[in-house]
Amino acid sequence: MRSLIDIFDLSVAELDGLIEKANDIIDNPAKYAESCKGKKLATLFFEPSTRTRLSFEAAMLELGGNVIGFSEASSSSAAKGESIADTAKVISGYADIIAMRHPKEGAPYVASKNATVPIINAGDGGHAHPTQTLTDLLTISREKGRLNNLTVGFCGDLKYGRTVHSLISALTRYEGIKVVLVSPEELKVPGYVRDGLLIKNGMEFVETTDLDKAMPELDILYMTRIQRERFPDQDEYERLKDSYILTLDKLENAKKDLSILHPLPRVNEISVKIDADPRACYFKQAYNGKYIRMALILKLLEDAKNGIEGEDIEKDCIVNEIRCKNPSCITSVEQELEHKFRYADEDGGVYRCIYCEKKGKKS
């Protein structure tokens, strides 16, 4: 069964096809009004969400389908200790497709290995958020008319920001992209993004702490919230939470056609005075999320109907030879789950956990 767990599950041709389909849905909504008649989407959200959950639900309803699910772990059998695997097996009998958000990295992947319907990763901890990335790509495409030859700045929490990690993953597929990474030293992108994506793919990138200096060259500015819920140390959060606040005066040296994106919710990292600036695209971005999710639901249901399978990423894994030490990994809570690692750097003997991408070495 084919699912969407990581943005790399989709080819460039498929990404372009989804964007084309979303644009057609925007232009011709009535054409798709009964496309999912008789189908059910289950939204399994184990942590809070507004835009992602409601946009999935709105997407399915506008396709003529129905929605079931829950919006917090405490209202599910997870509160009783039910495993992700068992939840996926059970809900597969109730729904035709599942969108899952979970605070543990790798949880949607575990669900996909046990479900008999497609699973969509709606965010797993600080790891990945592929449907937000599809939203971002649709927004960039609609604002700029292209997905290549752009300088894209990411600002804020680049360490725990799963939307940043997923979008960088997608941008490595396009030509002429330069990435500018603006963050405090403590919130720089993790090694698997820097080494495994940017350096490995030969993408031009710069790391800096100075947003003002970077601003003039940016075509896209992707602001992010400093995420309280991802910090193991709340004192560190308090120290870093106001590191970057975008105000009108900071845009004085920006390009006139700069596009400002933000996955939302914002706290105070973008002044509300910027909302009226034509360069502010984050509310349009949230709106676009419904349409790209409509396109994705249609694609995955069609793939399921045609018996299309996803790529097997476990075929070259080593099993239980390395233990994942990441407390945010799904293996930290699902005790019978096998620890699986695959090569990231064969010469250096470095492996990465298939669930959370954290490094490990054979002893």
Side-chain angles (χ1 to χ4, degrees), residues 239-319:
R239 183 169 58 83
L240 296 172
K241 66 179 182 179
D242 295 328
S243 296
Y244 299 99
I245 298 176
L246 187 63
T247 54
L248 284 172
D249 62 291
K250 291 184 179 295
L251 294 177
E252 289 181 358
N253 294 322
K255 291 182 178 180
K256 298 302 181 184
D257 64 346
L258 172 71
S259 296
I260 304 168
L261 275 61
H262 191 302
L264 302 178
R266 67 174 164 188
V267 181
N268 65 340
E269 61 276 3
I270 298 179
S271 168
V272 295
K273 294 180 180 179
I274 290 177
D275 296 353
D277 191 296
R279 292 170 289 190
C281 299
Y282 30 89
F283 292 117
K284 287 188 284 184
Q285 182 184 357
Y287 187 60
N288 289 335
K290 177 180 66 174
Y291 296 108
I292 200 70
R293 290 180 175 104
M294 291 172 76
L296 177 65
I297 288 168
L298 290 172
K299 175 175 176 52
L300 289 180
L301 287 174
E302 184 66 21
D303 286 351
K305 179 181 177 181
N306 294 330
I308 296 175
E309 298 289 335
E311 182 184 357
D312 182 9
I313 68 170
E314 296 189 13
K315 57 186 176 182
D316 297 319
C317 287
I318 59 173
V319 181

Coordinates of all heavy atoms in Angstrom, one line a residue, residues 239-319:
R239 N 15.2 31.6 26.7 CA 16.3 32.4 26.2 C 16.3 32.7 24.7 O 16.8 33.7 24.3 CB 17.6 31.6 26.6 CG 18.9 32.4 26.3 CD 20.1 31.7 26.9 NE 20.3 30.3 26.5 CZ 20.9 29.9 25.3 NH1 21.3 30.9 24.5 NH2 21.0 28.7 25.0
L240 N 15.8 31.7 23.9 CA 15.8 31.8 22.5 C 14.5 32.2 21.8 O 14.5 32.6 20.6 CB 16.2 30.4 21.9 CG 17.6 29.9 22.3 CD1 17.8 28.5 21.8 CD2 18.7 30.8 21.7
K241 N 13.4 32.3 22.5 CA 12.1 32.4 21.9 C 11.9 33.7 21.1 O 11.2 33.7 20.1 CB 11.0 32.3 23.0 CG 11.0 33.5 24.0 CD 9.8 33.3 25.0 CE 9.8 34.5 25.9 NZ 8.7 34.3 26.9
D242 N 12.6 34.8 21.4 CA 12.5 36.1 20.7 C 13.7 36.4 19.8 O 14.0 37.6 19.6 CB 12.2 37.2 21.7 CG 10.9 37.0 22.4 OD1 10.0 36.5 21.8 OD2 10.8 37.5 23.6
S243 N 14.4 35.3 19.4 CA 15.6 35.6 18.6 C 15.4 36.4 17.3 O 16.2 37.2 17.0 CB 16.2 34.2 18.2 OG 16.6 33.5 19.4
Y244 N 14.3 36.1 16.6 CA 14.0 36.8 15.4 C 12.6 37.3 15.4 O 11.6 36.5 15.5 CB 14.3 35.9 14.2 CG 15.7 35.5 14.1 CD1 16.1 34.2 14.6 CD2 16.7 36.3 13.6 CE1 17.4 33.8 14.6 CE2 18.1 35.9 13.6 CZ 18.4 34.7 14.1 OH 19.7 34.3 14.1
I245 N 12.4 38.6 15.2 CA 11.0 39.1 15.1 C 11.0 40.0 13.8 O 11.7 41.0 13.7 CB 10.6 40.0 16.3 CG1 10.6 39.1 17.6 CG2 9.3 40.6 16.1 CD1 10.3 39.8 18.8
L246 N 10.2 39.6 12.8 CA 10.1 40.3 11.6 C 9.2 41.5 11.7 O 8.0 41.3 11.9 CB 9.7 39.4 10.5 CG 9.7 39.9 9.0 CD1 11.2 40.2 8.6 CD2 9.1 38.9 8.1
T247 N 9.7 42.7 11.5 CA 8.9 43.9 11.5 C 9.1 44.7 10.2 O 9.9 44.3 9.4 CB 9.4 44.8 12.6 OG1 10.8 45.0 12.5 CG2 9.2 44.2 14.0
L248 N 8.3 45.7 10.0 CA 8.3 46.4 8.7 C 9.6 47.0 8.4 O 10.1 47.1 7.2 CB 7.2 47.5 8.7 CG 5.7 47.0 8.5 CD1 4.8 48.1 8.7 CD2 5.6 46.4 7.1
D249 N 10.3 47.5 9.4 CA 11.6 48.2 9.2 C 12.6 47.2 8.7 O 13.5 47.5 8.0 CB 12.1 48.9 10.5 CG 12.3 47.9 11.6 OD1 11.3 47.4 12.1 OD2 13.5 47.7 12.0
K250 N 12.5 45.9 9.0 CA 13.4 44.9 8.6 C 13.2 44.5 7.1 O 14.1 43.9 6.5 CB 13.3 43.6 9.4 CG 13.8 43.8 10.9 CD 13.8 42.5 11.7 CE 14.3 42.7 13.1 NZ 15.7 43.1 13.1
L251 N 12.1 45.0 6.5 CA 11.8 44.7 5.1 C 12.3 45.8 4.2 O 12.1 45.8 3.0 CB 10.3 44.5 4.9 CG 9.7 43.2 5.6 CD1 8.2 43.2 5.3 CD2 10.4 42.0 5.0
E252 N 12.9 46.9 4.8 CA 13.3 48.0 4.0 C 14.3 47.7 2.9 O 14.2 48.3 1.8 CB 13.8 49.1 4.9 CG 12.8 49.8 5.8 CD 13.3 50.9 6.6 OE1 14.6 51.1 6.6 OE2 12.6 51.5 7.4
N253 N 15.1 46.7 3.2 CA 16.2 46.3 2.2 C 15.8 45.1 1.5 O 16.6 44.5 0.7 CB 17.5 46.2 2.9 CG 18.1 47.4 3.5 OD1 17.9 48.5 2.8 ND2 18.7 47.4 4.6
A254 N 14.6 44.6 1.7 CA 14.1 43.4 1.0 C 13.7 43.6 -0.4 O 13.3 44.8 -0.8 CB 13.0 42.7 1.8
K255 N 13.6 42.6 -1.3 CA 13.1 42.8 -2.6 C 11.7 43.1 -2.6 O 10.9 42.7 -1.7 CB 13.3 41.4 -3.4 CG 14.8 41.1 -3.7 CD 14.9 39.8 -4.5 CE 16.4 39.5 -4.8 NZ 16.5 38.3 -5.6
K256 N 11.3 43.9 -3.6 CA 9.9 44.3 -3.7 C 8.9 43.1 -4.0 O 7.7 43.2 -3.6 CB 9.7 45.4 -4.8 CG 10.5 46.7 -4.6 CD 10.1 47.3 -3.2 CE 10.9 48.6 -3.0 NZ 10.6 49.2 -1.7
D257 N 9.5 42.1 -4.6 CA 8.6 40.9 -4.9 C 9.0 39.7 -3.9 O 8.7 38.6 -4.2 CB 8.8 40.5 -6.3 CG 10.2 40.0 -6.7 OD1 11.1 40.3 -5.9 OD2 10.4 39.4 -7.7
L258 N 9.6 40.0 -2.8 CA 9.8 39.0 -1.8 C 8.5 38.3 -1.4 O 7.5 39.0 -1.3 CB 10.4 39.6 -0.5 CG 10.6 38.7 0.7 CD1 11.7 37.7 0.5 CD2 10.9 39.5 2.0
S259 N 8.5 37.0 -1.2 CA 7.3 36.3 -0.7 C 7.7 35.8 0.7 O 8.6 35.1 0.9 CB 7.0 35.1 -1.6 OG 6.6 35.6 -2.9
I260 N 6.8 36.2 1.7 CA 7.0 35.8 3.1 C 6.1 34.7 3.4 O 4.9 34.8 3.3 CB 6.8 37.0 4.1 CG1 7.7 38.2 3.7 CG2 7.0 36.6 5.5 CD1 7.3 39.5 4.4
L261 N 6.7 33.5 3.8 CA 5.9 32.4 4.1 C 6.1 32.0 5.6 O 7.1 32.4 6.2 CB 6.3 31.2 3.3 CG 5.7 31.0 1.9 CD1 6.0 32.2 1.0 CD2 6.2 29.7 1.3
H262 N 5.1 31.3 6.2 CA 5.2 30.9 7.5 C 4.2 29.7 7.7 O 3.0 29.9 7.2 CB 4.8 32.0 8.5 CG 5.1 31.7 10.0 ND1 4.5 30.6 10.6 CD2 5.8 32.4 10.9 CE1 4.9 30.6 11.9 NE2 5.7 31.6 12.1
P263 N 4.6 28.6 8.2 CA 3.6 27.4 8.3 C 2.5 27.7 9.3 O 1.5 26.9 9.3 CB 4.5 26.3 8.7 CG 5.7 26.9 9.5 CD 5.9 28.2 8.8
L264 N 2.6 28.7 10.2 CA 1.6 29.0 11.2 C 1.5 27.8 12.2 O 1.7 26.7 11.8 CB 0.3 29.4 10.6 CG 0.3 30.6 9.6 CD1 -1.1 30.9 9.1 CD2 0.8 31.9 10.3
P265 N 1.1 28.1 13.4 CA 0.7 29.3 14.0 C 2.0 30.2 14.3 O 3.1 29.7 14.5 CB 0.1 29.0 15.3 CG 0.8 27.7 15.7 CD 1.0 27.0 14.4
R266 N 1.8 31.5 14.2 CA 2.8 32.4 14.6 C 2.6 32.8 16.1 O 1.4 32.8 16.6 CB 2.9 33.7 13.8 CG 1.7 34.6 13.9 CD 1.8 35.9 13.1 NE 0.5 36.5 12.9 CZ 0.3 37.6 12.2 NH1 1.3 38.1 11.5 NH2 -0.9 38.1 12.1
V267 N 3.6 33.3 16.7 CA 3.4 33.8 18.1 C 3.7 35.3 18.0 O 2.8 36.1 17.9 CB 4.4 33.1 19.1 CG1 4.2 33.7 20.5 CG2 4.1 31.6 19.1
N268 N 5.0 35.7 17.9 CA 5.3 37.1 17.7 C 6.4 37.3 16.7 O 7.0 38.4 16.6 CB 5.7 37.8 19.1 CG 7.0 37.2 19.6 OD1 7.4 36.1 19.2 ND2 7.6 37.9 20.5
E269 N 6.8 36.2 16.0 CA 7.9 36.3 15.1 C 7.6 37.1 13.8 O 8.6 37.4 13.1 CB 8.5 34.9 14.8 CG 7.5 34.0 14.1 CD 6.6 33.3 15.0 OE1 6.6 33.5 16.3 OE2 5.8 32.5 14.6
I270 N 6.4 37.4 13.5 CA 6.0 38.3 12.4 C 5.0 39.3 13.0 O 4.0 38.9 13.4 CB 5.4 37.5 11.2 CG1 6.3 36.5 10.6 CG2 4.9 38.5 10.2 CD1 5.7 35.7 9.5
S271 N 5.4 40.6 12.9 CA 4.5 41.6 13.3 C 3.2 41.6 12.5 O 3.2 41.4 11.3 CB 5.2 43.0 13.2 OG 4.2 44.0 13.4
V272 N 2.1 41.8 13.2 CA 0.8 41.8 12.5 C 0.7 43.0 11.5 O -0.1 43.0 10.6 CB -0.4 42.0 13.5 CG1 -0.5 40.7 14.4 CG2 -0.3 43.2 14.4
K273 N 1.6 44.0 11.7 CA 1.6 45.1 10.7 C 2.1 44.7 9.3 O 1.8 45.4 8.3 CB 2.5 46.2 11.3 CG 2.0 46.9 12.5 CD 2.9 48.0 13.0 CE 2.3 48.6 14.3 NZ 3.2 49.7 14.8
I274 N 2.7 43.5 9.3 CA 3.2 43.0 8.0 C 2.0 42.4 7.2 O 2.1 42.2 6.0 CB 4.4 42.1 8.2 CG1 5.6 42.9 8.6 CG2 4.7 41.3 6.9 CD1 6.8 42.0 8.9
D275 N 1.0 42.0 7.9 CA -0.1 41.3 7.2 C -0.7 42.0 6.0 O -1.1 41.4 5.1 CB -1.3 41.0 8.2 CG -0.9 40.1 9.4 OD1 0.3 39.6 9.3 OD2 -1.7 39.9 10.3
A276 N -0.7 43.3 6.0 CA -1.2 44.1 4.9 C -0.2 44.3 3.8 O -0.6 44.8 2.7 CB -1.7 45.5 5.4
D277 N 1.0 44.0 4.0 CA 2.1 44.1 3.0 C 1.8 43.1 1.9 O 1.6 41.9 2.2 CB 3.4 43.9 3.7 CG 4.6 44.3 2.7 OD1 4.7 43.6 1.7 OD2 5.3 45.2 3.1
P278 N 1.9 43.4 0.6 CA 1.6 42.5 -0.4 C 2.6 41.3 -0.5 O 2.3 40.3 -1.1 CB 1.7 43.3 -1.7 CG 2.5 44.6 -1.3 CD 2.1 44.8 0.1
R279 N 3.7 41.4 0.2 CA 4.7 40.4 0.3 C 4.3 39.3 1.3 O 4.9 38.2 1.3 CB 6.1 40.9 0.6 CG 6.6 41.8 -0.5 CD 7.9 42.6 -0.1 NE 7.6 43.7 0.8 CZ 8.5 44.6 1.2 NH1 9.7 44.6 0.7 NH2 8.1 45.5 2.0
A280 N 3.3 39.5 2.1 CA 2.9 38.5 3.1 C 2.0 37.5 2.4 O 1.0 37.8 1.9 CB 2.1 39.2 4.2
C281 N 2.5 36.3 2.5 CA 1.8 35.2 1.7 C 1.3 34.1 2.7 O 0.8 33.1 2.2 CB 2.7 34.6 0.7 SG 3.3 35.7 -0.6
Y282 N 1.5 34.2 4.0 CA 1.2 33.1 4.9 C -0.2 32.7 5.0 O -0.5 31.5 5.3 CB 1.9 33.3 6.2 CG 2.0 34.7 6.7 CD1 1.0 35.3 7.4 CD2 3.1 35.5 6.4 CE1 1.1 36.7 7.8 CE2 3.2 36.8 6.8 CZ 2.2 37.4 7.5 OH 2.3 38.7 7.9
F283 N -1.1 33.7 4.9 CA -2.6 33.3 5.0 C -3.0 32.6 3.6 O -3.8 31.7 3.6 CB -3.4 34.5 5.3 CG -3.2 34.9 6.7 CD1 -2.7 36.2 7.0 CD2 -3.5 34.1 7.8 CE1 -2.5 36.6 8.3 CE2 -3.2 34.5 9.1 CZ -2.7 35.8 9.4
K284 N -2.5 33.1 2.5 CA -2.7 32.4 1.3 C -2.1 31.0 1.3 O -2.7 30.1 0.7 CB -2.1 33.2 0.1 CG -2.9 34.5 -0.3 CD -2.3 35.1 -1.5 CE -1.0 35.8 -1.3 NZ -0.6 36.6 -2.6
Q285 N -1.0 30.9 1.9 CA -0.3 29.6 2.1 C -1.2 28.6 2.8 O -1.4 27.5 2.4 CB 1.0 29.8 2.8 CG 1.9 28.7 3.1 CD 3.1 29.1 3.9 OE1 3.2 30.3 4.3 NE2 3.9 28.1 4.3
A286 N -1.8 29.1 3.9 CA -2.7 28.2 4.7 C -3.9 27.8 3.8 O -4.4 26.6 3.9 CB -3.2 28.9 5.9
Y287 N -4.4 28.7 3.1 CA -5.6 28.5 2.2 C -5.2 27.4 1.1 O -6.0 26.5 0.8 CB -6.0 29.8 1.5 CG -7.2 29.8 0.7 CD1 -8.5 29.4 1.3 CD2 -7.2 30.1 -0.6 CE1 -9.6 29.4 0.5 CE2 -8.4 30.1 -1.4 CZ -9.6 29.8 -0.8 OH -10.7 29.8 -1.6
N288 N -4.0 27.5 0.6 CA -3.5 26.6 -0.5 C -3.4 25.2 0.1 O -3.5 24.2 -0.7 CB -2.2 27.0 -1.0 CG -2.2 28.3 -1.8 OD1 -3.2 28.6 -2.4 ND2 -1.1 29.0 -1.9
G289 N -3.2 25.0 1.4 CA -3.1 23.7 2.0 C -4.3 22.8 1.8 O -4.1 21.6 1.6
K290 N -5.5 23.4 1.8 CA -6.7 22.6 1.5 C -6.6 22.0 0.1 O -7.0 20.8 -0.1 CB -7.9 23.5 1.7 CG -9.2 22.7 1.4 CD -10.4 23.6 1.6 CE -10.4 24.8 0.6 NZ -11.7 25.6 0.7
Y291 N -6.2 22.8 -0.9 CA -6.3 22.3 -2.2 C -5.2 21.3 -2.6 O -5.5 20.3 -3.3 CB -6.2 23.5 -3.2 CG -7.4 24.4 -3.0 CD1 -7.3 25.7 -2.4 CD2 -8.7 24.0 -3.5 CE1 -8.3 26.5 -2.2 CE2 -9.8 24.9 -3.3 CZ -9.6 26.1 -2.7 OH -10.7 26.9 -2.5
I292 N -4.0 21.4 -2.0 CA -3.0 20.4 -2.3 C -3.3 19.1 -1.6 O -3.0 18.0 -2.1 CB -1.6 21.0 -1.9 CG1 -0.5 20.2 -2.6 CG2 -1.4 21.0 -0.4 CD1 -0.4 20.4 -4.1
R293 N -4.0 19.2 -0.4 CA -4.4 18.0 0.3 C -5.5 17.3 -0.5 O -5.6 16.1 -0.5 CB -4.7 18.3 1.7 CG -3.5 18.7 2.5 CD -3.8 19.0 4.0 NE -2.5 19.2 4.7 CZ -2.0 20.4 5.1 NH1 -2.7 21.5 4.8 NH2 -0.9 20.5 5.7
M294 N -6.4 18.1 -1.1 CA -7.4 17.5 -2.0 C -6.8 16.7 -3.1 O -7.1 15.5 -3.4 CB -8.3 18.6 -2.5 CG -9.2 19.2 -1.5 SD -10.1 20.7 -2.1 CE -11.4 19.9 -3.1
A295 N -5.8 17.3 -3.7 CA -5.1 16.6 -4.8 C -4.4 15.4 -4.3 O -4.4 14.3 -5.0 CB -4.1 17.6 -5.5
L296 N -3.8 15.4 -3.1 CA -3.0 14.3 -2.6 C -4.0 13.1 -2.2 O -3.7 12.0 -2.5 CB -2.2 14.7 -1.4 CG -1.5 13.6 -0.6 CD1 -0.4 13.0 -1.5 CD2 -0.9 14.1 0.7
I297 N -5.1 13.4 -1.6 CA -6.1 12.4 -1.3 C -6.5 11.7 -2.5 O -6.6 10.4 -2.6 CB -7.3 13.0 -0.5 CG1 -6.9 13.5 0.9 CG2 -8.5 12.1 -0.5 CD1 -7.9 14.3 1.6
L298 N -6.8 12.4 -3.6 CA -7.3 11.8 -4.8 C -6.2 10.9 -5.4 O -6.5 9.8 -5.9 CB -7.6 12.9 -5.9 CG -8.9 13.7 -5.6 CD1 -9.0 14.9 -6.6 CD2 -10.1 12.8 -5.7
K299 N -4.9 11.4 -5.4 CA -3.8 10.6 -5.9 C -3.7 9.3 -5.1 O -3.5 8.2 -5.7 CB -2.5 11.4 -5.9 CG -1.3 10.5 -6.4 CD -0.1 11.3 -6.5 CE 1.1 10.4 -6.8 NZ 0.8 9.5 -8.0
L300 N -3.6 9.3 -3.8 CA -3.3 8.1 -3.0 C -4.5 7.1 -3.1 O -4.3 5.9 -3.1 CB -3.1 8.5 -1.6 CG -1.7 9.2 -1.3 CD1 -1.5 9.5 0.2 CD2 -0.5 8.4 -1.8
L301 N -5.7 7.6 -3.2 CA -6.9 6.7 -3.3 C -6.8 6.1 -4.7 O -7.1 4.9 -4.8 CB -8.2 7.5 -3.1 CG -8.5 7.9 -1.7 CD1 -9.8 8.7 -1.7 CD2 -8.7 6.7 -0.8
E302 N -6.4 6.8 -5.7 CA -6.3 6.2 -7.0 C -5.2 5.2 -7.1 O -5.3 4.1 -7.7 CB -6.0 7.3 -8.1 CG -6.0 6.9 -9.5 CD -7.3 6.3 -10.0 OE1 -8.3 6.7 -9.5 OE2 -7.3 5.6 -11.0
D303 N -4.0 5.5 -6.4 CA -2.9 4.6 -6.4 C -3.3 3.3 -5.7 O -3.0 2.2 -6.1 CB -1.7 5.2 -5.7 CG -1.0 6.2 -6.5 OD1 -1.3 6.3 -7.7 OD2 -0.1 6.9 -6.0
A304 N -4.1 3.4 -4.6 CA -4.6 2.3 -3.8 C -5.5 1.4 -4.7 O -5.4 0.2 -4.7 CB -5.3 2.7 -2.6
K305 N -6.4 2.1 -5.5 CA -7.3 1.4 -6.4 C -6.5 0.6 -7.4 O -6.9 -0.5 -7.8 CB -8.2 2.4 -7.0 CG -9.2 1.8 -8.0 CD -10.1 2.9 -8.6 CE -11.0 2.3 -9.7 NZ -11.8 3.4 -10.3
N306 N -5.4 1.1 -7.9 CA -4.6 0.5 -8.9 C -3.6 -0.5 -8.4 O -2.8 -1.0 -9.1 CB -4.0 1.6 -9.8 CG -5.0 2.4 -10.6 OD1 -6.0 1.9 -10.9 ND2 -4.7 3.6 -10.8
G307 N -3.5 -0.6 -7.0 CA -2.6 -1.6 -6.4 C -1.1 -1.1 -6.5 O -0.2 -1.9 -6.4
I308 N -0.9 0.2 -6.6 CA 0.5 0.7 -6.6 C 1.1 0.7 -5.2 O 0.5 1.2 -4.3 CB 0.5 2.2 -7.2 CG1 0.0 2.1 -8.6 CG2 1.9 2.8 -7.1 CD1 -0.1 3.5 -9.2
E309 N 2.3 0.1 -5.1 CA 3.0 0.0 -3.8 C 4.0 1.1 -3.7 O 4.6 1.6 -4.7 CB 3.7 -1.4 -3.7 CG 2.7 -2.6 -3.8 CD 1.9 -2.7 -2.5 OE1 2.3 -2.2 -1.5 OE2 0.8 -3.3 -2.6
G310 N 4.4 1.4 -2.4 CA 5.4 2.3 -2.1 C 6.8 1.6 -2.2 O 6.9 0.4 -2.1
E311 N 7.8 2.4 -2.2 CA 9.2 1.9 -2.2 C 9.5 1.2 -0.8 O 9.1 1.8 0.2 CB 10.2 3.0 -2.4 CG 11.7 2.5 -2.5 CD 12.7 3.6 -2.7 OE1 12.2 4.8 -2.8 OE2 13.9 3.3 -2.7
D312 N 10.2 0.1 -0.8 CA 10.6 -0.6 0.4 C 11.9 0.0 0.9 O 12.9 -0.3 0.3 CB 10.7 -2.1 0.2 CG 11.0 -2.9 1.4 OD1 11.1 -2.2 2.5 OD2 11.3 -4.1 1.3
I313 N 11.9 0.8 1.9 CA 13.1 1.4 2.4 C 13.9 0.5 3.4 O 14.9 0.8 3.9 CB 12.9 2.8 3.1 CG1 12.1 2.6 4.4 CG2 12.2 3.7 2.1 CD1 12.0 3.9 5.2
E314 N 13.3 -0.7 3.7 CA 13.9 -1.5 4.7 C 14.7 -2.7 4.1 O 15.4 -3.4 4.9 CB 12.8 -2.2 5.6 CG 12.0 -1.1 6.4 CD 11.0 -1.8 7.4 OE1 11.2 -3.0 7.6 OE2 10.2 -1.1 7.9
K315 N 14.8 -2.8 2.8 CA 15.5 -3.9 2.2 C 16.9 -4.1 2.6 O 17.5 -5.2 2.6 CB 15.3 -3.9 0.7 CG 15.8 -2.7 0.0 CD 15.4 -2.7 -1.5 CE 15.9 -1.4 -2.2 NZ 15.5 -1.4 -3.6
D316 N 17.6 -3.0 2.8 CA 19.1 -3.0 3.1 C 19.3 -2.6 4.6 O 20.5 -2.3 4.9 CB 19.8 -2.1 2.2 CG 19.7 -2.5 0.8 OD1 19.8 -3.7 0.5 OD2 19.6 -1.6 -0.1
C317 N 18.3 -2.7 5.4 CA 18.5 -2.3 6.8 C 19.2 -3.4 7.7 O 19.1 -4.6 7.4 CB 17.1 -2.0 7.5 SG 16.4 -0.5 6.9
I318 N 19.8 -3.0 8.7 CA 20.3 -3.9 9.8 C 19.3 -3.8 10.9 O 18.8 -2.7 11.2 CB 21.7 -3.6 10.2 CG1 21.8 -2.2 10.8 CG2 22.7 -3.8 9.1 CD1 23.2 -1.9 11.4
V319 N 19.0 -4.9 11.5 CA 17.9 -5.0 12.5 C 18.5 -5.3 13.9 O 19.2 -6.3 14.1 CB 16.9 -6.0 12.1 CG1 15.7 -6.0 13.1 CG2 16.3 -5.7 10.7

